[in-house]
Amino acid sequence: QVHLVESGGGLAQTGESLRLSCVASGQTFTLYGVAWFRQSSGKDREFIAAVNWGGGSTYYADSAKGRFTISGDNNRNTVDLQIHSLKSEDTAVYYCAAAGAAGQWYQEGYASWAAYEHWGQGTQVTVSS
């Protein structure tokens, strides 16, 4: 089993930067990829970025390129998401998700929530102007 805990959310101003962290514990050696999603009130869960746990390759939603940076540290079992130039529309609950199988990752696609069987509880980010 894998347990994910997000942190780093809170209240921020537009234009500021924020770093979210996801710490994985348990059978982390089984992980293949880790991603960040977000969900705003009344909207579907949205893919932001993903990182291959072993190789370090990164993947981004087109809407996330330029302002979001994902990075993984296997030694610390953490995956961070840096958000630059915050906008009010970044207000959402941000979730960390982990995929335990390469087959599922590639079959469902790294941007699909269905590729991930482990989810954190989420961390709220609120951006005010």
Side-chain angles (χ1 to χ4, degrees), residues 19-24 31-36 49-60 69-82 96-97:
R19 177 183 289 271
L20 307 181
S21 290
C22 172
V23 178
L31 296 182
Y32 188 80
V34 178
W36 282 94
V51 60
N52 178 276
W53 188 250
S57 298
T58 57
Y59 311 88
Y60 292 91
T69 304
I70 191 170
S71 60
D73 186 335
N74 289 4
N75 292 326
R76 297 189 299 117
N77 288 336
T78 61
V79 175
D80 292 343
L81 182 71
Q82 182 83 25
C96 175

Side-chain angles (χ1 to χ4, degrees), residues 84-107:
H84 305 280
S85 302
L86 282 163
K87 303 178 180 180
S88 57
E89 51 262 45
D90 292 324
T91 295
V93 178
Y94 285 72
Y95 295 93
C96 175
Q104 189 170 347
W105 168 281
Y106 287 109
Q107 179 177 342

Side-chain angles (χ1 to χ4, degrees), residues 14-16 18 38-40 46 48 63 67-68 83-94 124-127:
T14 54
E16 293 181 341
L18 202 63
R38 70 182 182 184
Q39 188 166 21
S40 305
E46 175 190 17
I48 302 172
S63 60
R67 288 200 305 120
F68 294 79
I83 312 173
H84 305 280
S85 302
L86 282 163
K87 303 178 180 180
S88 57
E89 51 262 45
D90 292 324
T91 295
V93 178
Y94 285 72
Q124 174 72 47
V125 172
T126 303
V127 183

